Amino acid sequence: MKSYKVLTVCLGNICRSPAAQGILESVATKRGVFLELDSAGTAAYHIGNPPDSRSIKALHQVDIDISRQKARQVTKDDFHEFDWILAMDSENLFNLKKIQPKNSKATLVMFGEFNDQAKFGEVADPYYGGDDGFAEMRKHLIAIADAFVHHLHSNRED
Ligand code: 4NP
């Protein structure tokens, strides 16, 4: 069976991209699509830290455990390692494009591109807000993850 290596990327790698990783794992398993997943941040602020407790809690509420993830910074090598690099917002995408090598194996896109509702184009950064923002983030990530896994499933070559 074909598998895909997928890296989710946000700024700090403690709120959105770890949540996206956990949600993609869950959605892909349910749909029978095999993904090898990791997440990273464009910034180095939180290297080695677990996800933000508010992200852990929001995901725990839907039975997804992201508590064992550890933050890391994205590297140029990631562009040779992964099939897909999924940016959470346009600033992440801009910063990723700056370091993307010319012979990148990875397809670099905004994650929200896979959901046709325009308001899902960017996954808003919930870091400076309250629990509502984390619930909203979870809702957007679930909708986009569903659309992304559907895209992989319908374009598979097995
Ligand atoms: P994330 O959220 O990019 O979704 O992980 C943030 C986490 C930390 C910071 C900003 C955004 N920060 O400035 O420390």
Side-chain angles (χ1 to χ4, degrees), residues 60-133:
H60 185 70
Q61 286 165 350
V62 292
D63 290 326
I64 296 173
D65 179 13
I66 61 167
S67 64
R68 285 185 295 276
Q69 292 189 39
K70 290 265 177 291
R72 72 169 179 92
Q73 191 171 23
V74 69
T75 68
K76 278 198 163 99
D77 286 346
D78 288 323
F79 288 88
H80 300 301
E81 186 66 28
F82 289 88
D83 300 303
W84 291 90
I85 296 184
L86 306 171
M88 295 299 121
D89 66 29
S90 52
E91 188 184 310
N92 307 149
L93 185 66
F94 178 79
N95 287 320
L96 286 163
K97 279 184 177 162
K98 284 201 294 201
I99 61 160
Q100 183 176 27
K102 281 206 166 47
N103 59 345
S104 168
K105 164 184 160 186
T107 303
L108 169 63
V109 284
M110 280 260 277
F111 191 32
E113 193 174 291
F114 292 94
N115 191 295
D116 45 14
Q117 295 184 45
K119 66 180 177 176
F120 286 167
E122 297 210 6
V123 181
D125 184 351
Y127 185 66
Y128 293 104
D131 282 348
D132 287 6

Side-chain angles (χ1 to χ4, degrees), residues 9-18 41 43 45-46 52 54-55 88-89 92 123-128 134 137:
V9 178
C10 60
L11 174 63
N13 193 210
I14 55 167
C15 298
R16 291 166 292 174
S17 57
Y45 318 133
H46 298 283
D52 187 289
R54 296 165 296 174
S55 253
M88 295 299 121
D89 66 29
N92 307 149
V123 181
D125 184 351
Y127 185 66
Y128 293 104
F134 284 82
M137 170 197 78

